[in-house]
Structure formats: structure tokens, C-alpha cells
Amino acid sequence: MCGIVGAVDRRDVTSLLTEGLRRLEYRGYDSCGIAVLQQGALRRVRSVARVANLAAEVAAANLSGMIGIAHTRWATHGAPVAKNAHPIFSSGEIAIVHNGIIENHESLREELQAHGYVFESDTDTEVVAHLIHRMWTEQAAQGAKDLLCAVRHALERLHGAYAIAVFARNDPGRVIGARAGSPLVVGLGEQGNYLASDVMALAGAVENFIYLEEGDIAELTLDGVRLVDRSGHAVQRDIKVHRASTHSVELGPYRHYMHKEIFEQPNVIADAIERVDTISADLFGQGARHAFREIDSVLIVACGTSYYAGMTAKYWLESLAKVATQVEVASEYRYRSSVANPNTLVVVVSQSGETADTLAALKHAQTQGHRHTLTVCNVASSTMMRQAEFQHLTSAGPEIGVASTKAFTTQLVALFLLALTLSKQRGRLPAAQEATFLDQLHRLPGKLNSVLALEAQIIAWAETFARTDHALFLGRGLHYPIALEGALKLKEISYVHAEAYPAGELKHGPLALVTSQMPVVAVAPNDALLDKLKSNLQEVRARSGQLYVFADADSRIASGDGLHVIRMPEHYGSLSPILHVVPLQLLAYHTACARGTDVDKPRNLAKSVTVE
Ligand code: F6R
């Protein structure tokens, strides 16, 4: 989603800003821009093309300056056209970039128009630019100009979420940053000080960071950084060292990050479980041992792929630990009036830890009276990790492709460990069973490698899927969420319309869609529901549907007329979903490649959805 970079430096900042935007590209955007203070004037270049084009335009326009701000925009208010791209200016005096949504922008717009401001864009951001300008000129009239103070007073008028970076034509040595609801970090360097919505933007440029807290406002100059809270009182925040590995954001021999990340799964899962030699609540942080004993139920809240990880975990938590579990989509839960049980463990699952709906759901749960909260997340420094009582880092490493792959399988590993932990605490995990599960976890990377070796067969299927407009995915029990995830992957990157159903539901409606033109993907592990699933597949064959089945080696399903089978390794018990999702990721990936879509940056989507 939108990305911010800002800089005050002893050198020209344009290359640092454009490189920062390049590093934020993975979040998804539809326009970008950069503004600097050059020879006493605000100058900007904005583009609806890629950051590489913007960099070329910046060079062609001879843009240079020692302070500047830059932005990748994912349109919310106003179409993705150049006039709505950030930086947004007010009166040639104030430049601003903004992530988030200002909910009261309409009333503020009317008020500012009444004061003579003319709006040039359709964005909610422009009201913030004009508000700051108004405060700034009012201060000037009183002979007391303080940009930080003008920004702070403008922010008092806003409802909604924001991270912003601002500078003023008349104040050449200063950039102001502020956050409420959207992340923003300050990078501290020897040559200057910087702002970014994600540490990744400054990877390689600085190693010392301050993670701004809710309501914080930062003033960056060459001499240092001043921090105040929303009331203007000075605040101190810890400096954290973050040595970003530039290696992990390089593509290497792969064409796309998604492909690279699918193939990284054996290694990242091996890393995630390397030090797990016993099941213990300590895997979830200090104090979890005591708190997990108190809980009598689990509520998992997440969005998208992370929600499907939660759905899978429900099966594990209820079957292994016998702990009643509910799973809810975060955007629904946060606005629903629910009955809080203080003995429920609320688990939020998120790759980024910044998804606005999931973060709001976590806060909502806390205000509703839920005492125990756990974040399962891939970004150690994220807001969700800081907000929850307990944390578990999934250790998948940076995931750049918009479609989540390795983050999902590492979430599944984390949630499986949670189910084993609760099971052990409740006396339901005998030592021999614990040893068997640990052994299976440690052998999982090897099993994943054998699944990845099926790629050539999957590429052959992808040719067919690339020519279709619709597909159905079927699964049962523990593998129903995997069917949902397979359908989501296919639709989001290849734009093939795909639906997933629990196979037993087919006859209650979706069977009407089945014709000889409809590919039906079935996830067919050799588990207790296999015979039921086989009957469901017969229902498809009887209507001439084309079946594409991922069958465990021991599930006795053979290829035949209209029945295409890829043979998976032998059934892998409770961990089977982690194996079965991988061929579905590959099917989506190769279908998208065959259709020539922008795999890593699918249309309309963003990596980290930091707005509602
Ligand atoms: C799909 C995908 C999304 C995310 C969702 C939640 O491939 O990546 O559905 O899972 O936007 O994001 P996180 O996990 O960052 O909270």
C-alpha cells in the first residue's frame, strides 16, 4: 500500500528518495512522486508509471535538493491519475505526502474552500496540506513560525488514520513526520536524518531507527531529531538497530519474487523450527505459560490468506487441544457487537503486522475486555507485535510478492505449535505423541522439497488454467481452508475467477456451474474424509466436469477420462495442509505467468493494507 520516504541530508536526496520508493514498490501502488526544495522553490515530479520511470523523469528535470519527500500511492480518494499523486502542495509553500484516510475530509474541504483555498486534486490529503498552510500563515502573521507546531495543530482537526511527511518552502532545514494509525519510522544517519513508512525503504542507508508511536510527531533537521506527542510534550523513544539484509530483497535467478518465495519455503520453515526441540508456552513470550493455562477458548482474527491460516488452526486447536476456537474476518469482528470472554485468547495473524483491519480488531478486542492477546506475525517491529500481550515471530523473512506464500506456511507452523502448546498444557499431548509431532515438523522441509519437485507437472496443467475464465476448488475438513487459499491465489494473480467450497456443499448449489468447460481442482489427502471426497468427485465427473486432483500417493485415485491426477507424497497427517497448499501456489503462479499478468504486483492490490 502507500509508501513514504523523507530526507534531510548534507547531500542531494533525490537518489536516496527514488531508491527508497523502489524498495517500497512491493507494497503495491498506482502512482508515485517526489518533491524537493530547490533554489528556494518547491519542485516535484509525479508519475502514474513505475518508479523506474519516475527516476528517469527526476533526472531529466534536473531535480535536486537537500530536503525532500517521496511517495508511492495506492488510490483510495481520487483516481490514480497524476494530479492525485503525492507530494501534494498547498499554495507553493507546503509539500506533503500521506498514507491513510482522512475521514472528515469533506467537511474540512468545505471549510477551507470558504477560506479561499482552491483544490487541485480529488484527494483527502489536500485538506491536510491546506490546513497546515493555514496554521503556518496564521503563525507567520503573529511572527512565530514553527512548522512542527503548525503541523500539530492541523493534525488536531483530523479524524482518521495517517502517516505524513511535510516540509515548507520557507523553512529549508526541516522535515516533519507524524503518525496515527499508519506506521512511520525515523532513520538516523551520519549525513542526515530520514523518514520512511517501512524500514525496508532505508535498507543499506541507515541502521538506527526510531519507531514512532501513536500520535508522535518528529522534527528532522541535520542536527538531530526532536520528538513530541500529540499534546506537544517532548517524548523519548528507544533507538533500535535494524540491519536490513539487502540479499533477501534481491531476486537472484528467479523471474518473480513469488516464485522465489514459494521455493524458499523449505528453508524458512527449517529456520522457524530449528530451535524447537520441545513444546513450550515460552515459544509465545514471557508469561504465556501462566496466561495460556487460564484460557478456555481461542478467537483468531485476521484477513485474507492469514484468515485461512486461522481457519486451518481451528481444526488443530479443537482436535488436538480440545479448545473451542472461533475464527473471524477482522473487518467484520471490529464492528460487531460481541460478547467478550476474559478467558479467551485472542490471536491476530498477520504477515505485515500493519493491516489496518486486523490492528483495529486487536485494539477492539482489548477494549472489549479480552485480557490475553497474541500476535503471530512476520515483522518483529510491527505495530501488532507491540500492541499484543504475547508475540510469535514467524521468521519467513521479507515477503515481497503481493500474494502471500511463505508467510502463510510459516503462520501454519506457528499456529500448529500453538495447538500443541495448549494441548500439552491440558495434559492431552503424551510425550511419545509430542516426539512424533516434533519429528514430523523437522522432516517437513524435506517433504516440501518433494512437493516442489512436482513443478513440471503443474506447469503442464497451468496451460489449461490459463485458457479458462472460471475454476472451482474443493477440499474437506482441514483442507477446506487450503482450497480457499488455492482459489484466492489463482484469482488474485491470474485474474481467473475461482471459488472454493467444502466438497460436501457442491450439491447444494455450485454443482450447477459444472460443465465440461469447468476445471475443478480437488485437494485429496488420504485422511478420514477421503471416501466422502471421492463421492463428491464422482458428482463432478457425472456432469462431465474436468477434475484436477492433488492426491496423496496412498489415496488410490488414478488418472482417467476427465480425471487428471498429480501424485503428492504419502499422507502427512495433521501437517498435510502445509504440503497441499504448495502445488496450489505453483498452479496459480504458472497460470499467471502463462496469462502474462504482473505476478508480483497484481492489479488493484497492495502488499500491506494499511487503510480500511
Ligand atoms: C493474499 C494476501 C492477502 C493478505 C491480507 C492480510 O495473498 O496476501 O490476503 O493475507 O491482506 O495481510 P496481513 O497478513 O499482512 O495482515
Side-chain angles (χ1 to χ4, degrees):
M1 197 143 270
C2 305
I4 288 177
V5 196
V8 184
D9 207 307
R10 294 193 166 79
R11 307 153 296 182
D12 173 30
V13 294
T14 47
S15 53
L16 180 132
L17 294 177
T18 47
E19 173 59 16
L21 292 187
R22 193 186 69 77
R23 289 178 175 279
L24 292 177
E25 278 193 295
Y26 78 98
R27 295 165 68 109
Y29 66 104
D30 37 43
S31 58
C32 49
I34 169 171
V36 293
L37 183 60
Q38 188 167 12
Q39 291 166 349
L42 303 187
R43 290 198 63 210
R44 72 182 161 191
V45 174
R46 299 183 289 176
S47 168
V48 286
R50 301 272 107 190
V51 170
N53 298 58
L54 180 80
E57 285 180 45
V58 166
N62 285 324
L63 215 65
S64 74
M66 318 279 230
I67 73 170
I69 55 179
H71 195 250
T72 46
R73 174 172 188 256
W74 187 82
T76 54
H77 289 78
V81 293
K83 71 167 184 175
N84 292 332
H86 300 200
I88 299 282
F89 288 174
S90 175
S91 315
E93 293 289 334
I94 298 289
I96 182 171
V97 291
H98 163 225
N99 290 355
I101 292 179
I102 305 305
E103 285 162 5
N104 57 337
H105 70 102
E106 279 171 353
S107 56
L108 289 172
R109 181 179 274 252
E110 280 167 21
E111 178 187 317
L112 287 157
Q113 280 167 332
H115 282 98
Y117 285 97
V118 176
F119 282 75
E120 291 171 359
S121 77
D122 309 316
T123 64
D124 50 345
T125 305
E126 194 170 351
V127 299
V128 192
H130 294 323
L131 262 184
I132 294 172
H133 179 259
R134 187 136 189 266
M135 303 291 171
W136 181 238
T137 44
E138 274 176 17
Q139 282 184 350
Q142 291 159 11
K145 274 172 108 178
D146 178 346
L147 186 58
L148 183 147
C149 192
V151 170
R152 189 168 70 75
H153 287 307
L155 296 180
E156 281 170 357
R157 304 287 318 279
L158 306 182
H159 301 162
Y162 56 78
I164 56 168
V166 181
F167 69 89
R169 188 183 68 79
N170 258 331
D171 196 355
R174 221 172 300 277
V175 172
I176 307 293
R179 77 157 281 184
S182 295
L184 195 66
V185 297
V186 174
L188 307 167
E190 282 175 9
Q191 297 294 326
N193 293 308
Y194 312 96
L195 283 170
S197 49
D198 180 332
V199 287
M200 189 97 89
L202 300 174
V206 290
E207 291 187 341
N208 291 329
F209 289 93
I210 296 171
Y211 293 89
L212 296 185
E213 294 188 7
E214 284 298 277
D216 281 357
I217 307 175
E219 177 189 69
L220 280 64
T221 60
L222 280 180
D223 299 329
V225 175
R226 176 162 75 105
L227 298 180
V228 299
D229 63 15
R230 47 166 60 98
S231 326
H233 298 123
V235 286
Q236 298 281 336
R237 304 288 177 223
D238 293 343
I239 297 175
K240 304 257 179 340
V241 178
H242 181 95
R243 287 192 185 93
S245 152
T246 45
H247 174 72
S248 54
V249 295
E250 301 306 334
L251 256 180
Y254 294 93
R255 236 178 94 200
H256 297 105
Y257 283 106
M258 182 180 178
H259 200 209
K260 176 183 180 235
E261 287 156 5
I262 291 172
F263 274 82
E264 278 176 349
Q265 291 178 108
N267 284 344
V268 296
I269 287 182
D271 288 349
I273 54 177
E274 194 187 2
R275 283 180 299 279
V276 182
D277 47 16
T278 181
I279 296 300
S280 148
D282 297 346
L283 293 167
F284 301 91
Q286 255 188 354
R289 191 181 292 256
H290 177 70
F292 284 10
R293 276 215 182 87
E294 284 185 356
I295 61 134
D296 60 16
S297 52
V298 171
L299 168 63
I300 302 176
V301 188
C303 302
T305 290
S306 299
Y307 170 71
Y308 297 146
M311 280 180 74
T312 314
K314 176 183 166 78
Y315 289 85
W316 288 328
L317 285 158
E318 297 206 330
S319 65
L320 301 172
K322 304 279 180 239
V323 175
T325 302
Q326 263 181 284
V327 191
E328 273 203 61
V329 167
S331 54
E332 289 295 311
Y333 171 72
R334 62 181 287 195
Y335 290 116
R336 195 168 69 75
S337 144
S338 52
V339 181
N341 168 3
N343 293 329
T344 296
L345 174 67
V346 177
V347 182
V348 292
V349 185
S350 174
Q351 187 287 126
S352 60
E354 302 293 350
T355 302
D357 284 320
T358 312
L359 183 58
L362 172 59
K363 292 179 180 166
H364 176 70
Q366 287 167 327
T367 55
Q368 293 277 299
H370 282 291
R371 284 185 299 150
H372 297 309
T373 53
L374 163 68
T375 291
V376 172
C377 180
N378 196 34
V379 181
S381 55
S382 63
T383 315
M384 263 179 242
M385 286 296 246
R386 295 199 297 271
Q387 181 77 26
E389 182 185 18
F390 303 112
Q391 298 76 25
H392 183 94
L393 186 67
T394 47
S395 306
E399 191 179 65
I400 310 286
V402 163
S404 193
T405 52
K406 61 176 182 168
F408 178 68
T409 44
T410 51
Q411 285 168 353
L412 290 178
V413 169
L415 293 167
F416 187 68
L417 290 172
L418 177 67
L420 294 186
T421 302
L422 298 188
S423 174
K424 187 171 176 180
Q425 279 193 329
R426 280 150 188 76
R428 297 184 190 282
L429 187 67
Q433 180 73 66
E434 177 180 349
T436 306
F437 279 136
L438 283 172
D439 178 56
Q440 284 184 339
L441 274 170
H442 287 286
R443 284 189 296 115
L444 189 56
K447 293 280 168 195
L448 284 164
N449 277 321
S450 16
V451 177
L452 290 168
L454 301 171
E455 186 175 31
Q457 293 175 59
I458 297 168
I459 291 174
W461 282 12
E463 294 298 322
T464 306
F465 280 77
R467 291 192 300 270
T468 187
D469 289 326
H470 306 276
L472 270 181
F473 284 67
L474 303 177
R476 290 198 76 138
L478 194 51
H479 295 79
Y480 166 50
I482 298 306
L484 284 164
E485 171 61 3
L488 177 62
K489 287 285 96 91
L490 188 68
K491 61 189 146 195
E492 72 179 321
I493 58 167
S494 74
Y495 317 147
V496 172
H497 169 230
E499 302 275 352
Y501 282 92
E505 272 290 290
L506 205 56
K507 55 189 173 295
H508 299 292
L511 200 52
L513 295 171
V514 173
T515 66
S516 59
Q517 306 305 309
M518 172 67 94
V520 180
V521 178
V523 184
N526 183 17
D527 62 9
L529 290 168
L530 180 64
D531 288 336
K532 306 270 177 216
L533 179 79
K534 282 181 177 172
S535 308
N536 303 139
L537 300 188
Q538 288 306 325
E539 293 161 9
V540 174
R541 274 310 296 138
R543 274 93 192 162
S544 311
Q546 293 292 312
L547 279 165
Y548 294 84
V549 184
F550 291 98
D552 283 353
D554 44 358
S555 65
R556 299 176 318 281
I557 301 179
S559 296
D561 183 29
L563 174 59
H564 314 269
V565 178
I566 287 183
R567 209 155 284 290
M568 299 276 292
E570 290 199 343
H571 185 53
Y572 209 54
S574 301
L575 291 171
S576 169
I578 303 179
L579 294 188
H580 267 280
V581 75
V582 173
L584 303 185
Q585 296 168 344
L586 284 170
L587 181 63
Y589 173 73
H590 287 292
T591 304
C593 288
R595 287 168 74 99
T597 61
D598 193 350
V599 173
D600 283 332
K601 299 183 203 83
R603 69 183 178 209
N604 307 338
L605 298 182
K607 181 66 185 162
S608 177
V609 186
T610 50
V611 294
E612 237 190 293

